Amino acid sequence: MARTTTRKVGILTAGGDSPGLNAAIRGFGKTAIGHYGMELFGFRDGITGLVENRYVELDGKALSGILTVGGTILGTSRDKVHRFPVDGEPQDMVPTVVENYRALGLDALIMLGGGGTAKNAKRLLDAGLNVVHLPKTIDNDIAETDTSFGFATATEIATDAVDRVHSTAHSHHRIILTEIMGHRAGWLTLAAGIAGGADIVLIPEIPYTVESVAETIKARTARGSSFSVIAVAEGARDVDDTSDYQAAQLLVKAAKTPEAKRAAKAHLAHVEDAQREHSFRLARELEAATGLESRVTILGYVQRGGTPCAADRLLATRLGAAAADLVARGEFGVMVAARGESTEAVPLEDVAGRVKLVPLDHAWIQAARQVGTGLGD
Ligand code: F6P
């Protein structure tokens, strides 16, 4: 056994489920238990289990056979540790978590999750816990890491869907809009749209106009193509909706008191809700503008399902193993970032609260434009 003073470690999965979570639990667990002789405790359902002190000891047997399993064997939730619902009222449960962590005699806590989990991890770090965060999300929107596990698998799934809707598009001479996840970022839609050969790719970072999208379709028709396939991000918006959304975001940023922030966040949620059906509205507008029948396919949770692809299994395993090495060396308060073929420990304060959006000069955007893909602008 390699030497370390770290003996007992907790691990949890939080936020949206994602392919690769179990591969990461396995990568961390096999290294921590097998290489360093640590004891591992898995908290159920993310932050909820940590608050409610619900956990299970994970041994070699528990980790066997989970590399290829989708979702998370521990369960997950989207709860926030500082606004945890108690009888319907948000409560700060950080002290309770610290108490549970100390009572179990933990030396460290591994938190697998996305941007929200990084914020939870930072709060627990500030309360004195030894935390390490692993970047998980199909959205690939976590700052300071090349990528996150879940993204590669979701790209495969969404690309397959874009491939497949081409059949009905060319058979029926239709416009097919395939709505792809990604929350507030366009990474997944851009990747799957390019890989799937979509004729138009609409992402949140590039507000679109119906006129521009219709022009691209009409130009295709003039060249003899009787159909078009559009990959549209769930967070994509036209120019007008984008200005409404950005105005609502500014109100949240400008809010000075907790009450004002809550009101501004409620308004932002209302605006997001009102814009949620944007793909169906765009389909109707394009049908009117081009005379082509339009249909919408929302990929939804299919993109998060099933076994992780090889790339995600490899990424999750190496991030998990690297996290175990960090914890063994007593390095905490960091996210294990993917950096090329290797990893890098990035301070949590550089990650928490930030979202990685697609830069407008990104190589993927340039490549899309060079092959003639319409981007709605
Ligand atoms: O963060 C992953 C994700 O799938 C986003 O792409 C999507 O917007 C969100 O989760 C859906 O959240 P929920 O699983 O809570 O419906």
Side-chain angles (χ1 to χ4, degrees):
M1 286 296 171
R3 287 178 54 74
T4 177
T5 56
T6 303
R7 305 301 331 138
K8 294 177 83 169
V9 182
I11 189 167
L12 64 81
T13 56
D17 69 285
S18 155
L21 272 169
N22 292 321
I25 293 169
R26 174 183 175 275
F28 178 85
K30 279 182 168 288
T31 310
I33 298 168
H35 189 59
Y36 290 107
M38 296 176 192
E39 293 173 78
L40 185 58
F41 298 88
F43 284 89
R44 296 288 190 197
D45 306 329
I47 291 293
T48 310
L50 198 53
V51 168
E52 298 171 352
N53 211 25
R54 288 187 291 114
Y55 58 84
V56 56
E57 182 156 7
L58 296 174
D59 57 11
K61 189 166 176 300
L63 299 174
S64 169
I66 68 171
L67 173 68
T68 59
V69 176
T72 158
I73 59 170
L74 294 176
T76 185
S77 68
R78 288 190 179 279
D79 285 322
K80 297 180 174 72
V81 70
H82 70 305
R83 291 181 57 78
F84 187 84
V86 177
D87 302 331
E89 282 303 309
Q91 304 279 336
D92 178 4
M93 299 304 279
V94 170
T96 301
V97 167
V98 172
E99 198 181 305
N100 291 343
Y101 175 103
R102 301 275 183 240
L104 186 50
L106 293 180
D107 298 306
L109 176 65
I110 310 299
M111 301 174 75
L112 282 59
T117 304
K119 286 193 271 191
N120 275 323
K122 180 69 172 56
R123 287 190 180 95
L124 295 177
L125 173 70
D126 293 344
L129 301 195
N130 294 330
V131 295
V132 170
H133 168 231
L134 291 187
K136 166 283 307 176
T137 177
I138 67 166
D139 305 338
N140 187 35
D141 61 354
I142 300 172
E144 301 297 333
T145 180
D146 289 353
T147 186
S148 48
F149 52 84
F151 176 64
T153 306
T155 300
E156 295 289 342
I157 295 168
T159 299
D160 181 63
V162 174
D163 283 350
R164 289 175 183 277
V165 298
H166 273 80
S167 304
T168 199
H170 69 64
S171 303
H172 287 264
H173 318 297
R174 279 172 170 167
I175 301 166
I176 301 287
L177 295 92
T178 308
E179 186 176 293
I180 295 171
M181 280 184 162
H183 200 205
R184 295 176 179 157
W187 295 103
L188 186 53
T189 301
L190 184 58
I194 292 170
D199 305 300
I200 295 160
V201 174
L202 303 177
I203 60 176
E205 295 85 347
I206 302 176
Y208 64 82
T209 66
V210 176
E211 293 70 27
S212 167
V213 177
E215 273 317 302
T216 302
I217 294 168
K218 287 175 187 169
R220 284 179 45 78
T221 306
R223 292 195 300 271
S225 298
S226 65
F227 69 92
S228 285
V229 171
I230 303 177
V232 50
E234 62 177 344
R237 291 177 172 80
D238 67 19
V239 171
D240 294 338
D241 279 0
T242 298
S243 52
D244 293 348
Y245 179 70
Q246 288 174 342
Q249 283 183 309
L250 282 176
L251 284 176
V252 173
K253 285 199 180 79
K256 295 280 182 276
T257 65
E259 294 72 22
K261 192 165 276 290
R262 266 199 289 284
K265 282 187 172 180
H267 172 63
L268 177 61
H270 172 74
V271 169
E272 284 182 323
D273 261 351
Q275 297 177 356
R276 206 169 295 283
E277 304 291 314
H278 62 85
S279 297
F280 292 95
R281 189 186 69 202
L282 177 57
R284 289 192 299 276
E285 289 167 338
L286 290 175
E287 198 161 289
T290 65
L292 290 174
E293 274 188 337
S294 298
R295 294 289 188 275
V296 177
T297 296
I298 307 274
L299 298 189
Y301 299 91
V302 168
Q303 297 161 100
R304 294 185 350 200
T307 187
C309 69
D312 269 340
R313 297 179 197 183
L314 173 57
L315 175 62
T317 299
R318 62 191 187 85
L319 291 183
D325 288 341
L326 281 174
V327 162
R329 293 199 301 268
E331 290 184 38
F332 307 113
V334 296
M335 172 184 73
V336 181
R339 282 276 193 286
E341 303 302 311
S342 187
T343 62
E344 189 173 317
V346 175
L348 272 171
E349 54 264 22
D350 297 345
V351 179
R354 291 177 55 200
V355 177
K356 181 181 72 178
L357 298 177
V358 182
L360 297 185
D361 62 351
H362 195 274
W364 296 0
I365 287 183
Q366 287 165 1
R369 290 195 194 281
Q370 282 168 304
V371 298
T373 307
L375 295 177
D377 57 355

